[in-house]
Amino acid sequence: MLRVTTRPPLSPTTLAFDIGGTGLKASVLDGKGRMVHDRVRVPTPYPCPPKVLLANLRTMAKGLPEFDRVSVAFPGVVRHGKVLSAPNLVRAAGPDSDIDPALVALWHGFDLGRAVERSFRTPTRVLNDADMQGLDTVKGKGLEVVITLGTGFGSSVFEDGVLGPHLELSHHPFRKGETYDEQLGDVARKRIGRKKWNKRVADAIEALDALLLFDHLYIGGGNTKHLTIDLPARVTVIDPNAGLLGAFELWKERPRISSGR
Ligand code: BGC
């Protein structure tokens, strides 16, 4: 839910970053999880080694109110605050370009949690971006699944409100020998057009229901605006700011392998 307030921020305030393959978004949330500043967005710079990302995050924070802690939603696998994969940020010139082995080497194992903590001198937690969207979204009842349709295909699974292990469905085979990312990501959507892409989204919903028998599925991400299919009753489109708002919920979680410190 979008919660923008003009009242002075209650503490602790959270600087929220949502790193995407196409855009970097940021805002500050008050002690109740409401946005105290309009979302700031800049295009994701390419090439984007860790240093460049950190410099961009620092610049974005300059225009934002003060904060007590930082949450980062990251578009790849993160364990104990360290990056294990960054499928888009390792590409030389943007999501549709080749993977640069030098960028793979720089990102793999990069301790993003510690780097952000040092850069901002503030306690920091990092979580996969789809997991972060889920934290703001789920109702805490039954088996809830969140998928995100953006540059890549994100997913998270919750049981009675508890975040499960991160499943990197984006890199799992989906159809015709291709992964969810390859079939449903932004590059594919632009290539195949709205109608075919929507049909694939419907197929993915069915496949996920067969796999997880979800009680509810939520769909987030910038490409939800291209959805034209009738969604089943158990499927809902969510707040476009969920990736930022989850930054507040993350601090209610106990630190664990997926979120780091
Ligand atoms: C990554 C996921 C991420 C998703 C959404 C995919 O390419 O593999 O980890 O959650 O994009 O950003």
Side-chain angles (χ1 to χ4, degrees):
M1 281 120 284
L2 181 58
R3 296 170 290 245
V4 178
T5 174
T6 50
R7 285 188 293 277
L10 301 164
S11 58
T13 49
T14 311
L15 171 60
F17 286 116
D18 188 2
I19 299 169
T22 312
L24 309 178
K25 288 144 264 168
S27 188
V28 171
L29 312 177
D30 71 9
K32 290 201 164 157
R34 299 170 299 195
M35 283 168 70
V36 295
H37 193 282
D38 285 340
R39 188 184 81 157
V40 176
R41 185 185 187 281
V42 298
T44 306
Y46 282 97
C48 190
K51 256 192 191 171
V52 171
L53 178 70
L54 286 164
N56 273 263
L57 299 187
R58 277 194 300 270
T59 307
M60 290 172 86
K62 277 188 190 143
L64 290 170
E66 305 245 306
F67 50 87
D68 303 306
R69 57 195 189 185
V70 183
S71 296
V72 182
F74 189 79
V77 180
V78 183
R79 200 164 288 161
H80 289 303
K82 289 188 184 159
V83 172
L84 294 191
S85 70
N88 283 298
L89 302 186
V90 296
R91 293 182 184 273
D96 201 7
S97 66
D98 289 339
I99 289 177
D100 176 347
L103 288 171
V104 175
L106 285 171
W107 274 113
H108 183 77
F110 182 72
D111 195 338
L112 182 61
R114 194 164 301 283
V116 173
E117 209 157 75
R118 285 208 179 125
S119 187
F120 289 95
R121 297 169 201 271
T122 315
T124 299
R125 288 187 177 183
V126 185
L127 188 69
N128 168 269
D129 54 357
D131 290 342
M132 191 82 96
Q133 293 216 19
L135 290 181
D136 179 64
T137 302
V138 298
K139 305 283 178 285
K141 273 180 140 185
L143 201 294
E144 295 174 278
V145 178
V146 179
I147 59 171
T148 65
L149 302 171
T151 312
F153 177 93
S155 66
S156 57
V157 179
F158 291 77
E159 187 177 25
D160 291 337
V162 178
L163 175 61
H166 177 73
L167 300 178
E168 187 69 344
L169 266 184
S170 48
H171 290 93
H172 200 67
F174 170 40
R175 59 193 283 279
K176 304 210 166 168
E178 288 196 333
T179 63
Y180 282 80
D181 250 15
E182 287 165 333
Q183 286 264 309
L184 288 162
D186 202 43
V187 173
R189 184 190 62 78
K190 287 179 180 148
R191 193 182 59 240
I192 62 176
R194 183 175 284 219
K195 200 168 163 204
K196 279 193 181 159
W197 181 79
N198 267 274
K199 165 83 177 68
R200 288 184 185 180
V201 174
D203 289 351
I205 294 172
E206 260 186 46
L208 292 174
D209 201 18
L211 177 71
L212 293 158
L213 296 145
F214 54 76
D215 292 303
H216 208 96
L217 175 85
Y218 303 91
I219 312 184
N223 281 345
T224 49
K225 60 177 175 287
H226 300 295
L227 285 175
T228 52
I229 43 172
D230 289 332
L231 297 173
R234 283 179 301 133
V235 180
T236 317
V237 171
I238 58 173
D239 190 324
N241 283 313
L244 288 173
L245 296 169
F248 170 74
E249 303 297 325
L250 180 57
W251 287 88
K252 293 185 187 161
E253 296 272 298
R254 65 184 165 84
R256 53 190 196 158
I257 62 168
S258 58
S259 58
R261 287 154 262 286

